[in-house]
């Protein structure tokens, strides 16, 4: 497990009510060519391996309330994607794209020496999980997609407009190095900003994400995330590409779609959402529409924990703990 270290977690309780039960986690640190990737780890080293992938502009704290409700003998690794949470930002001049996020996952599981594992992915993390599971179908035994379809198709006519805009945005950003200045917030103002960008977050959920989303500086706090994650993504897939990748997935898949989640306000064009759901159904995926919002897994984890546990237990490699995946 070269390049990976586990550190005892520092758990701050100042923002948590007494009703919140938190299982002890260790800090995950892994060296990468541009710095390090960070995250959190729960459970025994020989437990069933489950990788947890957060959504855009979130961090691995998004799983902090869910994982304590899942089986304690499983091994959960929740990462901060580069440019998010406590992970290093990508190198100067580098763009944030889905293929690079998929490569990040490949680096992590290589370092962990996981031959086969399950994935829980929320939002953008679910889309990374979908592409990874298509590229490496032999490595993934089960996938839980939280308020995401696993693929995000773009109209052909928009793909190259996006590419042009993303390249221009990046160059503009790179040329403004002298004008960049981190804005310093009070804790409450940082929390207000986070909740304004994520209206579905409860007050406590915002506190949890802020544990890794801000760092203290003289005069207050600054956000840890890389501003470049806001720039237009230059690598998009059209519906044909998405459906082809979906057909390559060999894992059993469950989609948990929140009734007041992302697809209530963000509708995919041209009936793409229905097309993807039909393709998942054809592949015997489980699709459940659940009460809740985009961050239901963080705000009210008890409403999804047993559903996730039952699904993963029914699709574990050895029918119980999944430890067979460690012996391949």
């Amino acid at each position: 497990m070269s390049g990976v270290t586990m550190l005892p977690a520092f758990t701050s309780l100042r923002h948590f009510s007494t009703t919140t039960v938190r299982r002890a986690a260790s800090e995950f640190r892994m060296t990468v060519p541009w710095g390090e990737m960070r995250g959190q780890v729960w459970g025994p080293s020989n437990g069933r391996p489950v990788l947890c992938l957060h959504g855009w502009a979130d961090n691995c704290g998004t799983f902090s309330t869910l994982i304590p409700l899942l089986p304690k003998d499983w091994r959960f690794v929740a990462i901060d994607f580069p440019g998010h949470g406590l992970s290093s930002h990508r190198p100067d001049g580098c763009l944030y794209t889905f293929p690079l996020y998929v490569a990040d996952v490949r680096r992590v599981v290589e370092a962990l020496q996981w031959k086969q594992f399950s994935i829980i992915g929320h939002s953008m993390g679910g889309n990374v999980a979908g592409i990874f599971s298509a590229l490496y179908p032999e490595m993934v035994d089960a996938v839980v997609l939280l308020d995401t379809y696993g693929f995000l198709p773009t109209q052909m006519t928009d793909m190259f407009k996006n590419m042009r805009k993303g390249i221009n945005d990046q160059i503009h950003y790179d040329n403004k190095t002298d004008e960049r200045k981190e804005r310093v917030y009070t804790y409450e103002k940082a929390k207000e900003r986070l909740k304004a960008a994520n209206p579905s977050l409860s007050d406590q959920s915002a506190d949890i994400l802020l544990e890794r989303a801000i760092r203290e500086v003289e005069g207050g706090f600054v956000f840890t995330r890389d501003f470049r994650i806001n720039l237009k993504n230059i690598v998009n897939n059209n519906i044909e590409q998405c459906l082809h990748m979906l057909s390559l997935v060999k894992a059993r898949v469950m989609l948990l779609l929140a009734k007041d989640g992302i697809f209530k306000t963000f509708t995919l064009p041209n009936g793409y959402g229905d097309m993807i759901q039909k393709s998942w159904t054809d592949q015997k995926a489980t699709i459940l529409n659940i009460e809740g919002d985009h961050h239901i897994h963080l705000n009210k984890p008890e409403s999804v924990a047993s559903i996730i546990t039952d699904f993963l237990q029914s699709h574990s490699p050895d029918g119980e703990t999944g430890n067979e995946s460690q012996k391949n």
Side-chain angles (χ1 to χ4, degrees):
M1 206 174 286
S2 174
V4 177
T5 57
M6 309 295 179
L7 303 176
F10 170 74
T11 304
S12 168
L13 297 176
R14 75 186 156 133
H15 300 302
F16 292 90
S17 68
T18 54
T19 58
T20 301
V21 178
R22 302 190 77 197
R23 253 168 74 194
S26 297
E27 186 71 9
F28 172 85
R29 304 183 77 148
M30 172 186 156
T31 301
V32 291
W34 60 91
E36 68 174 359
M37 283 182 64
R38 298 279 292 270
Q40 290 184 293
V41 182
W42 292 258
S45 59
N46 65 342
R48 174 182 179 170
V50 182
L51 187 68
C52 301
L53 306 177
H54 66 76
W56 176 79
D58 286 350
N59 56 65
C60 71
T62 196
F63 297 105
S64 291
T65 59
L66 173 62
I67 290 175
L69 303 180
L70 301 180
K72 293 176 172 51
D73 57 347
W74 291 0
R75 179 71 158 184
F76 296 95
V77 175
I79 62 169
D80 290 337
F81 279 118
H84 297 73
L86 301 180
S87 287
S88 300
H89 296 180
R90 296 207 190 279
D92 289 348
C94 187
L95 298 113
Y96 284 82
T97 65
F98 275 95
L100 286 184
Y101 288 131
V102 174
D104 297 328
V105 172
R106 188 66 185 83
R107 289 180 191 275
V108 168
V109 296
E110 178 83 8
L112 291 170
Q113 299 178 343
W114 285 0
K115 303 301 183 188
Q116 194 179 61
F117 57 98
S118 304
I119 304 178
I120 301 173
H122 173 238
S123 199
M124 181 189 84
N127 295 332
V128 174
I131 299 173
F132 185 93
S133 300
L135 294 180
Y136 301 98
E138 75 284 359
M139 297 188 74
V140 185
D141 55 49
V143 180
V144 175
L145 299 173
L146 300 173
D147 211 30
T148 176
Y149 292 135
F151 296 96
L152 186 63
T154 302
Q155 294 185 88
M156 181 79 80
T157 50
D158 291 335
M159 290 172 65
F160 305 103
K161 292 178 186 174
N162 291 349
M163 187 178 291
R164 173 184 168 125
K165 179 170 176 21
I167 291 171
N168 289 345
D169 287 351
Q170 177 74 45
I171 292 171
H172 179 75
Y173 177 85
D174 290 342
N175 289 339
K176 298 289 184 181
T177 51
D178 295 338
E179 299 174 24
R180 286 183 222 151
K181 189 177 180 184
E182 291 180 313
R183 184 170 173 187
V184 179
Y185 298 84
T186 64
Y187 183 87
E188 287 306 318
K189 288 295 183 184
K191 186 172 174 178
E192 281 178 23
R193 181 177 176 187
L194 181 66
K195 292 186 72 174
N198 298 276
S200 65
L201 288 176
S202 70
D203 207 56
Q204 178 177 279
S205 294
D207 286 328
I208 291 172
L209 289 181
L210 283 174
E211 287 189 14
R212 303 177 77 87
I214 56 174
R215 60 183 172 86
E216 198 161 4
V217 296
E218 187 177 347
F221 298 88
V222 295
F223 280 91
T224 59
R225 58 104 181 95
D226 190 341
F227 176 82
R228 292 176 295 168
I229 67 172
N230 296 289
L231 304 182
K232 182 65 76 173
N233 174 27
I234 70 165
V235 181
N236 302 129
N237 296 298
N238 62 29
I239 186 65
E240 290 80 12
Q241 290 170 312
C242 289
L243 293 178
H244 176 68
M245 284 192 287
L246 190 155
S247 73
L248 300 176
V249 176
K250 297 292 185 266
R252 299 309 301 268
V253 177
M254 178 170 68
L255 289 73
L256 293 182
L257 303 176
K259 291 181 180 176
D260 293 314
I262 193 168
F263 298 114
K264 185 172 183 180
T265 53
F266 171 71
T267 304
L268 291 176
N270 303 328
Y272 288 167
D274 292 338
M275 294 167 71
I276 291 177
Q277 286 197 67
K278 181 182 183 305
S279 293
W280 277 131
T281 301
D282 291 344
Q283 292 210 181
K284 306 293 190 288
T286 301
I287 303 176
L288 298 178
N289 291 286
I290 56 174
E291 296 291 341
D293 52 39
H294 188 52
H295 284 88
I296 182 67
H297 66 288
L298 174 59
N299 293 331
K300 295 183 177 177
E302 63 279 0
S303 64
V304 297
S306 62
I307 299 172
I308 292 171
T309 297
D310 290 347
F311 173 78
L312 290 178
Q313 282 181 332
S314 67
H315 295 102
S316 63
D318 65 0
E320 187 174 352
T321 64
N323 288 343
E324 278 299 319
S325 62
Q326 300 286 15
K327 301 173 188 174
N328 294 339

